């Protein structure tokens, strides 16, 4: 199968959906001629024109609000938020307006929009351009949250997102834009709420999201070479969350690590760990272990930044300890 | 009333404008009564005194045109064509309400008439209105959107962001600022530096000021602007000077500390939009006092019937609680959860 | 001891600190003559004048930003955010600026501000005036988060917050403003990061935050009458979180319910449950049970709103099932 | 250069202004070189071409006056008094950097000289600057704060919110818009409707436009406004027309698609603030070519020494990673955690 980059995959997904449905449009800063700073959208304005690939002023709350209103009245906006860190600026429009409109109107209005943004540290971009803020959004009922972990995932999830009648937030890993993966030429969609078991295993389950899927895959390889059989699961969407697949794996391996690049506390790992603890408790040989990003603002210095996020090595180390029964804390 | 002279051909329009203003007043009087008699859950914000704004504007709109409304939204809702019954049901949290009781007064919406909804975030609908206008432009429709908001909302940065885009993209949106002189318990001049009109003009947006108590003046101006917006000459800004008769919300009873009873009296007695328009109708021979009294009585009956209906109507079933969280999931929550 | 309302307690805390330290000031909408819509601040402008009790236009991001800059340059602002739901509007100033400034400056700048806001549903205020959004803030390193559960707590925590050199967010329960509790006349502070054991017990631990502390207390009474001995703990601050006290109790009772009024998913309950699962796993007889608000926007209709939040009855029911060993899910 | 005539008494000031502009240029040339030779982590935004803005303004400020800066912040930092060594250390993520390497280029701050920091959120410092001015007023100090931001940042709603409050409360803040004609890859006229100056004026804020390539004009205007702001006559707004020579950031090399090489050439050759000021210095007999060359050489040496120092300097120890999260907690994280 041909291989394309995550960036190209997103670009294809958008182009295909814009061809299919003329109510789809893109709105954001420097999305047109510049094709975004990450060049993900290059070529789209040439095909679809500036009416549908809309450059905005630097006014995130404003264009997010415009997208909400546009979505309510018959279009399908794809909002381009240049950095995931700017989500703080649009929280009101996203969480008070987009997320709640369908419910508050008793089902009469809907807001079929996609918010495309990104996450991921270790790009030396410092504290305001390196955050992974998907947990904030996942906390708000009414929003769906997708976390593609490869070019293949990015394309399939984006197409599904655009066709979804609800507000969907997609966080792409900005370090993965140039990573290639096999992506079929034929059209495909990836349904929301169906986790992907990337590798089967029997000793331990590694649940990774987004950027951390690769980390878990690499960890699983290393563990495999040591005779530890790790299952790797990518939930793909955290809202909706495919509990069944996660629980089945937890019950099978009885040991679980959840790895996510958001800050560990009050984030994604706590939710997934809790659900597994709640519903597979009596199958577990050890507590579900959480590995998020450190609870510190992302430091600029490379010497510091790299140690704030989970790595294959740190996952391996924790997996070993879990499997060898060393996780009985002070407990 | 203004120097306007009645046009024969417009008799129905005049009477409908009067009726709509009177309906708003009747709706609010009943809503206030429901609050005072502890029959309404929560608080609500009365539109009484500002009727000429909503009616003057909405009478210039088609059903396919859109509006966005505010926390003080009953007037906009009625003016854009809503029915008493569904409105009172909504205010009382009943299943037959416009939003199945899920929104209440602060979120009442009536998409069948193009009302995209009230909003409990001050300024929260400015983006939505602009986006609605964006849709019209993108899809090549000639719908116009009116964005209602208060003087207090002009302090929200969102407005400047969306005005900039509306102006750059020539969107068919009209920003209508209902300047009632107060935001909550504070006078406008204490929270607005410079000139509100100049702020819109600085974005290259054609701006107007109009007496918000004069329904004909409001309507005439809006007719013109709407026609021009349909042709792509928008956006526009209109500041409408008006007044709210009640407190900020129905519970804001003792308000001497921020405005005087004399001031309230002056507006009610000398600038009431309904009284003024009524005199004009009579003066111009469009209706006589008895006809108007009959209309008012009919409206009062309608309102009372709707209130009674709503009081007796049923609440949504508890199983509705997790419906409409998502469009494609009937019940958002797994049943077996621990609450 | 005299009893005063939570509203009076907050008022006293502010007045005392403003007398003690003239760099403390209050900023927000209708805080002066009106004393806020909840009338919590009545009388302060009369004592401290409009220079220190500052009415703002309706511009939350703006006055939050002003507070950040003021705090960085030698004052101690107390920002009044009328409803907790408006926190979405100020997330950038709070999370990108206030929370990170000390870290990003390598410790040179600091932002000693307090953000006073509220939480709590069942006031018939609908989806945009009823949220309990403390989890969002707790996820962001650099912020401290206090959740007073009574007039006594509100006063002591507020005074501590004002003296703290970090940005602190205090969520008051807006349904509790008129609730009275004994509050000493003498000055006192409540340290952050020290949980309060309100009731000792041996069969089960009920961890409640803010509004849910009372719910847990009532549940414990009912349970007591049934012969179930429940320990009730109020963490007081969720950042910092007093893990020790929570863990000690979990190890003692071996059964835990965490009750919080924020949405359940990706929220506070997941974090607390996870920490207990991780660190007291081998002491637990059953999974830690979580009870948050339903993952739905808060409905207006009284018929619906009341069922979205935990109640003493629902806590009792879950506690019974836990204690009687009925929580072995499908597991 | 402008029609200004040198004043004898100001010779030192003139030379310091030149030196500061040359220092900024030297700093940026070295930073760019560090990027091109892959020695600098991440990206950075060059201030080259805009030196007269930062220097003209900061030379009118005292050390106790405050500034807030932007993503394009090296110029402001140098102009407000920072040292090369700590700056390069910061850019390279070293412990001796102004922020111990934790902030980097986009967050460089130097509180000892009143620089409250660069900001990676466009417009993100507008509130901070206004708040700094609020402090001065509340505590009765006569400090003035200058808020630097770009033309692109004028699209952020935050600006309008804080201008309103600054105007209402007469805060000693000067909003300085560095209009370099572009925000990222987009021309200003494509993202700014109406008039930027009129927007500030609409809030009742006295506003000025000045040639941002003329350091004397910038300085003269700022001197006046700062003096007035100190007396409580603020706030003020100044739009400074300027140009950035490099791409949006150091990695933005191929930029023909949004601006022409000719345009860049014209600004560099005909309006360079340093060249212009140098000619004027010579013309007015304040310095001769040789003296200026010597100054430039000295600056180049300083910069090189600082770069070398920074390259050799040590990174912060890994135990620093959870320090400075809170002021009162040495290490924010319990050691035993699982990462
Ligand atoms: C973002 C936000 N801030 C504050 C409030 C509280 N609030 C509700 S209405 C109101 C005053 C609004 O004034 P104005 O816009 O003039 O409308 P009016 O009530 O006068 O019709 C305020 C401050 C809110 N609902 N939303
Ligand atoms: C809130 C926010 N939106 C977008 C960006 C990305 N961004 C960084 S600089 C920039 C352009 C800023 O233009 P301007 O304010 O004119 O400053 P200049 O770069 O020209 O100095 C943009 C869009 C950002 N950092 N922050
Ligand atoms: Mg008003
Ligand atoms: Mg610019």
């Amino acid at each position: 199968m041909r291989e394309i980059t995550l960036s190209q995959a997103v670009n294809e997904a958008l182009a295909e959906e814009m061809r299919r449905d003329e109510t789809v449009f893109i709105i954001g800063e420097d999305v047109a001629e510049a094709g975004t700073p990450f060049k993900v959208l290059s070529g789209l304005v040439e095909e679809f024109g500036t009416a549908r690939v809309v450059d905005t002023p630097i006014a995130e709350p404003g264009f997010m609000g415009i997208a909400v209103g546009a979505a309510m009245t018959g279009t399908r906006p794809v909002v381009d938020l240049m950095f995931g860190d700017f989500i703080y600026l649009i929280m009101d429009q996203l969480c008070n307006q987009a997320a709640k409109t369908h419910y508050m109107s008793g089902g009469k209005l809907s807001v079929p929009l996609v918010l495309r943004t990104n996450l991921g540290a270790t790009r030396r971009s410092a504290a305001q351009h390196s955050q992974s803020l998907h947990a904030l959004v996942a906390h708000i009922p009414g929003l769906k949250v997708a976390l593609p972990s490869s070019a293949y995932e990015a394309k399939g999830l984006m197409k599904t997102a655009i066709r979804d009648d609800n507000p969907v937030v997609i966080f792409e890993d900005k370090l993965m834009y140039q990573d290639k993966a096999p992506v079929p030429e034929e059209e495909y969609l990836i349904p929301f709420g169906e986790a992907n078991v990337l590798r089967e295993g029997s000793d331990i389950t590694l649940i990774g999201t987004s950027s951390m899927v690769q980390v878990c895959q690499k960890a699983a390889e290393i563990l495999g070479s040591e005779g530890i059989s790790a299952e790797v699961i990518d939930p793909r969407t955290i809202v909706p969350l495919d509990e069944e697949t996660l629980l089945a794996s937890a019950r099978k391996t009885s040991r679980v690590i959840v790895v996510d690049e958001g800050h560990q506390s009050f984030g994604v790992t706590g939710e997934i760990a809790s659900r597994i603890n709640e519903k597979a408790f009596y199958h577990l040989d050890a507590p579900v272990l959480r590995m998020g990003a450190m609870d510190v603002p992302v430091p600029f210095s490379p010497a510091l930044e790299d140690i704030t996020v989970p790595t294959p090595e740190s996952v391996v180390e924790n997996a070993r300890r879990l499997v060898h029964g060393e996780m009985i804390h002070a407990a | 009333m203004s120097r306007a002279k009645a046009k024969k051909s417009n008799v129905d329009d005049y009477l409908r404008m009067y009726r709509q203003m009177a309906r708003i007043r009747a709706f609010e009087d009943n809503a206030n009564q429901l609050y005072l008699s502890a029959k309404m859950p929560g608080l609500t914000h009365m539109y009484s005194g500002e009727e000429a704004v909503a009616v003057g504007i909405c009478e210039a709109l088609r059903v396919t045109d859109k509006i966005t409304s505010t926390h003080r939204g009953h007037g906009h809702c009625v003016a854009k064509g809503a029915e008493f019954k569904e409105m009172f049901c909504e205010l009382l949290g009943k299943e037959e309400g416009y939003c199945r009781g899920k929104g209440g007064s602060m979120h009442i919406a009536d998409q069948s008439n193009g009302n995209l909804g009230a909003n409990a975030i001050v300024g929260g609908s400015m983006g939505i209105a602009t986006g609605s206008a964006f849709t019209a432009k993108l899809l090549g429709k000639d719908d116009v959107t009116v964005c209602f908001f208060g003087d207090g909302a002009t302090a929200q940065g969102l407005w400047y962001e969306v005005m900039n885009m509306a102006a750059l993209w020539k969107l068919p949106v009209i920003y209508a600022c209902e300047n009632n002189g107060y935001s909550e318990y504070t006078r406008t001049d204490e929270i607005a530096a410079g000139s509100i009109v100049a702020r819109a003009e600085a974005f290259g947006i054609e701006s107007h000021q109009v007496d918000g108590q004069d329904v004909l003046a409001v309507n005439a101006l809006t007719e013109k602007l709407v026609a021009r917006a349909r042709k792509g000459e928008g956006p526009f800004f209109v500041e409408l000077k008006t007044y709210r008769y009640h407190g900020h919300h129905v519970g804001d009873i003792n308000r001497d500390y921020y405005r005087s009873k004399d001031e309230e009296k002056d507006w009610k007695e000398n600038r009431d939009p309904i009284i003024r328009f009524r005199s004009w109708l009579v003066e111009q021979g469009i209706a006589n006092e008895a006809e108007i009294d009959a209309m008012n009585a009919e409206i009062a009956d309608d309102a009372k019937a709707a209130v009674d209906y709503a009081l007796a109507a049923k609440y949504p079933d508890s199983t509705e609680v997790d419906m409409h969280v998502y469009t494609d999931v009937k019940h958002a929550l797994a049943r077996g959860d621990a609450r």
Side-chain angles (χ1 to χ4, degrees), chain A, chain B:
Chain A
M1 204 185 292
R2 68 174 183 150
E3 300 212 330
I4 60 174
T5 63
L6 191 146
S7 171
Q8 288 170 310
V10 172
N11 190 297
E12 278 191 9
L14 290 165
E16 288 175 18
E17 293 305 303
M18 289 178 82
R19 277 176 214 133
R20 193 186 55 79
D21 179 351
E22 62 183 19
T23 68
V24 177
F25 72 95
I26 297 172
I27 185 165
E29 293 155 16
D30 278 324
V31 292
E33 286 74 16
T36 79
F38 295 102
K39 305 295 166 201
V40 176
L41 306 186
S42 298
L44 295 180
V45 72
E46 286 74 10
E47 178 170 356
F48 300 103
T50 52
R52 292 179 67 197
V53 184
V54 185
D55 266 353
T56 65
I58 310 173
E60 288 81 4
F63 66 74
M64 182 67 199
I66 288 176
V68 176
M72 281 167 67
T73 49
T75 64
R76 293 184 174 271
V78 178
V79 177
D80 188 289
L81 189 71
M82 200 182 294
F83 282 86
D85 311 66
F86 307 160
I87 211 160
Y88 295 128
L89 286 160
I90 60 163
M91 287 292 274
D92 179 62
Q93 291 301 317
L94 182 65
C95 302
N96 269 335
Q97 312 297 344
K100 296 181 175 34
T101 291
H102 188 62
Y103 191 84
M104 292 191 307
S105 69
K108 289 201 185 147
L109 295 163
S110 62
V111 187
L113 72 77
V114 178
L115 175 63
R116 260 197 76 224
T117 191
N118 51 40
L119 55 69
T122 71
R123 250 182 108 250
R124 320 304 177 216
S125 305
Q128 293 173 344
H129 277 63
S130 308
Q131 294 166 86
S132 300
L133 297 174
H134 44 300
L136 300 185
V137 178
H139 186 51
I140 307 307
L143 303 175
K144 298 187 179 180
V145 185
L147 302 173
S149 60
S150 73
Y152 176 85
E153 298 288 322
K155 182 168 179 186
L157 291 170
M158 177 59 75
K159 286 174 66 88
T160 304
I162 293 174
R163 298 186 194 188
D164 200 295
D165 284 334
N166 300 285
V168 177
V169 189
I170 299 200
F171 290 87
E172 295 158 7
D173 175 12
K174 56 177 120 56
L175 278 105
M176 229 186 257
Y177 280 128
Q178 295 317 316
D179 289 2
K180 289 194 172 186
V183 174
E185 309 262 5
E186 314 77 64
E187 167 159 88
Y188 66 97
L189 284 88
I190 299 178
F192 284 1
E194 292 189 13
N196 184 21
V197 181
L198 285 108
R199 179 185 177 117
E200 306 219 355
S202 52
D203 295 330
I204 186 165
T205 301
L206 306 179
I207 299 171
T209 60
S210 178
S211 51
M212 294 296 112
V213 174
Q214 281 188 19
V215 165
C216 289
Q217 285 273 65
K218 286 189 195 136
E221 274 166 40
I222 302 173
L223 289 167
S225 71
E226 298 178 8
I228 298 176
S229 163
E231 182 145 307
V232 177
I233 308 185
D234 170 8
R236 283 175 162 156
T237 53
I238 51 172
V239 181
L241 183 67
D242 179 0
E243 264 188 31
E244 288 321 306
T245 301
L246 304 184
L247 290 174
S249 179
R251 288 179 192 131
K252 179 173 71 171
T253 64
S254 75
R255 292 178 187 85
V256 183
I257 304 183
V258 187
V259 194
D260 176 83
E261 204 180 332
H263 295 302
Q264 179 163 312
S265 289
F266 301 93
V268 167
T269 59
E271 181 62 25
I272 296 182
S274 293
R275 295 214 197 169
I276 295 172
N277 277 317
E278 272 165 28
K279 299 185 183 170
F281 185 74
Y282 298 97
H283 295 261
L284 295 176
D285 284 345
V288 177
L289 201 84
R290 303 186 293 148
M291 297 179 67
M294 275 186 185
D295 292 325
V296 305
V298 180
F300 167 69
S301 183
L304 302 179
E305 187 179 26
D306 288 341
I307 56 180
T308 64
V309 290
T311 57
E313 295 67 38
S314 61
V315 173
V316 164
E317 199 184 309
N318 281 314
R320 275 194 212 118
R321 289 165 65 205
L322 258 193
V323 170
H324 298 143
E326 289 165 19
M327 292 307 279
I328 313 176
H329 280 76
Chain B
M1 205 62 190
S2 60
R3 300 124 300 170
K5 260 201 70 185
K7 294 194 213 153
K8 263 257 172 61
S9 58
N10 290 349
V11 165
D12 287 352
D13 294 349
Y14 297 140
L15 290 175
R16 203 177 49 247
M17 278 195 236
Y18 181 87
R19 171 182 293 274
Q20 287 291 66
M21 290 203 290
R23 287 183 72 230
I24 294 172
R25 185 71 56 89
F27 186 90
E28 295 300 49
D29 287 344
N30 279 277
N32 192 38
Q33 220 32 61
L34 283 168
Y35 170 79
L36 293 175
S37 58
K39 287 180 186 145
M40 194 182 56
L43 292 172
T44 184
H45 308 82
M46 301 281 91
Y47 198 73
S48 313
E50 310 192 10
E51 293 87 351
V53 173
V55 172
I57 288 177
C58 291
E59 284 293 313
L61 300 177
R62 303 179 185 155
V63 69
T64 46
D65 291 328
K66 308 288 185 286
I67 64 164
T68 61
S69 167
T70 67
H71 59 285
R72 196 175 303 289
H74 306 160
H76 312 132
C77 196
V78 170
K80 196 69 175 59
E83 301 293 340
F84 280 171
K85 198 176 84 176
E86 286 84 347
M87 284 186 69
F88 279 118
C89 280
E90 192 57 39
L91 261 66
L92 297 180
K94 302 301 178 76
E95 188 188 287
E96 285 179 77
Y98 272 113
C99 309
R100 304 188 70 79
K102 280 181 163 155
S105 164
M106 284 207 291
H107 302 291
I108 197 159
D110 170 18
Q111 112 285 20
S112 63
N113 286 302
N115 178 357
L116 299 177
N119 211 305
I121 300 300
V122 168
S125 68
M126 290 163 164
I128 293 171
T130 312
S132 167
F134 185 94
T135 290
K137 180 153 191 196
L138 182 70
L139 303 186
K141 302 191 206 168
D142 69 354
D143 296 344
V144 171
T145 303
V146 174
C147 178
F148 288 102
F149 55 88
D151 47 291
T154 63
Q156 288 283 4
L158 184 63
W159 187 37
Y160 304 90
E161 299 193 1
V162 299
M163 274 202 289
N164 190 25
M165 287 182 265
L168 287 167
W169 305 337
K170 299 200 170 305
L171 299 182
V173 57
I174 300 175
Y175 300 102
C177 176
E178 305 180 300
N179 188 344
N180 60 12
Y182 295 86
S183 52
E184 280 193 358
Y185 321 112
T186 301
R187 275 183 28 202
T188 308
D189 55 4
E190 292 172 27
I191 53 90
S195 147
I196 292 174
V197 168
R199 298 187 199 170
E201 282 171 344
F203 288 87
I205 294 179
E206 185 182 312
S207 300
H208 299 265
Q209 283 178 302
V210 64
D211 177 358
Q213 306 308 85
D214 179 346
V215 72
L216 290 180
V218 173
N219 185 252
L221 173 65
T222 312
E223 292 272 9
K224 267 187 228 139
L225 298 182
V226 168
R228 289 175 55 199
R230 276 198 219 294
K231 290 190 290 181
E233 294 174 25
F236 298 104
F237 171 68
V238 182
E239 182 182 356
L240 304 108
K241 189 80 198 123
T242 184
Y243 200 76
R244 62 162 156 81
Y245 289 171
H246 292 256
H248 168 58
H249 55 61
V250 286
D252 173 25
I253 310 283
N254 300 320
R255 48 186 181 268
D256 302 5
Y257 72 95
Y258 71 86
R259 72 180 198 189
S260 71
K261 290 220 168 58
D262 282 351
E263 180 185 297
E264 295 187 2
K265 195 158 164 257
D266 176 44
W267 280 86
K268 284 185 197 172
E269 291 182 1
N270 303 319
R271 317 199 211 173
D272 184 77
I274 300 179
I275 297 177
R276 283 168 72 180
F277 193 48
R278 179 185 172 129
S279 317
W280 185 84
L281 288 175
V282 174
E283 211 176 278
Q284 301 282 328
I286 295 168
N288 62 33
E289 299 284 359
E291 284 162 348
I292 295 179
D293 284 342
M295 199 196 304
N296 287 345
E298 184 201 320
I299 290 168
D301 287 350
D302 279 0
K304 188 178 175 322
V307 166
D308 290 344
Y309 184 93
L311 282 168
K314 77 190 247 312
Y315 283 114
D317 190 81
S318 67
T319 58
E320 282 229 15
V321 72
D322 66 344
M323 291 170 70
H324 309 123
V325 182
Y326 298 99
T327 59
D328 52 346
V329 183
K330 186 143 195 219
H331 290 284
L333 301 176
R335 286 296 77 198
D337 76 341
R339 198 163 295 94

